[in-house]
Amino acid sequence: MPFRHPVRVQFFEVDLQGVVFNMWYLAWFDTAMSTFMATLGFPYGDTYRDGWDVQLVHTELDWRGGARFGDEVIVEVETARIGTTSFTLAYRVLRGDELLVTAETVYVVVGIDGSGKRPVPDDFRTALSA
């Protein structure tokens, strides 16, 4: 069962075509990802305390339809893959039963001290796999 994050489309997110401007989907994914991580027991404050963070390195999005001002949409998040130093989250944006957007984002675990990539922590890997 994917994690579900609700979003209500705000006026400022809509472009002249009357649909959500493309960059806002990435903002929604970022918020959904951090909430997903917190739900798994890994809020940003804790990951920083433990010396690591995640860095977005790749995203692919496919649009099938556009959300409009006032729409209530759901951003679904689930783990697609886990590698040695990276993991991929799959996203779906739904308006009711209508699929509007699909995406996959690859994140790399990095040290907050600037030391670069780190292996996905074992406890985080377990939580992502659940």
Side-chain angles (χ1 to χ4, degrees), residues 30 33 37 44 48 52-59 85-88 105-112 114 116-118 124:
D30 192 61
M33 180 271 294
M37 284 181 59
Y44 271 123
Y48 264 66
W52 62 277
D53 192 6
V54 298
Q55 187 176 71
L56 185 153
V57 295
H58 180 78
T59 296
T85 61
S86 67
F87 61 97
T88 303
T105 298
V106 179
Y107 301 91
V108 171
V109 176
V110 295
I112 63 168
K117 292 181 188 180
R118 290 191 175 177
F124 185 53

Side-chain angles (χ1 to χ4, degrees), residues 5-95:
H5 180 76
V7 173
R8 184 174 181 91
V9 178
Q10 303 298 305
F11 181 74
F12 66 86
E13 295 170 318
V14 177
D15 63 19
L16 291 175
Q17 296 174 13
V19 296
V20 171
F21 184 64
N22 57 45
M23 69 167 215
W24 291 110
Y25 291 96
L26 292 173
W28 294 353
F29 297 159
D30 192 61
T31 301
M33 180 271 294
S34 62
T35 306
F36 173 63
M37 284 181 59
T39 300
L40 294 177
F42 295 88
Y44 271 123
D46 290 358
T47 64
Y48 264 66
R49 180 198 66 221
D50 294 338
W52 62 277
D53 192 6
V54 298
Q55 187 176 71
L56 185 153
V57 295
H58 180 78
T59 296
E60 289 189 24
L61 292 97
D62 290 305
W63 283 271
R64 291 171 169 76
R68 299 182 178 282
F69 170 64
D71 283 351
E72 294 184 14
V73 300
I74 296 292
V75 178
E76 291 185 341
V77 184
E78 59 187 342
T79 305
R81 286 180 291 287
I82 306 171
T84 303
T85 61
S86 67
F87 61 97
T88 303
L89 297 181
Y91 297 94
R92 293 176 5 125
V93 178
L94 300 154
R95 180 177 48 215

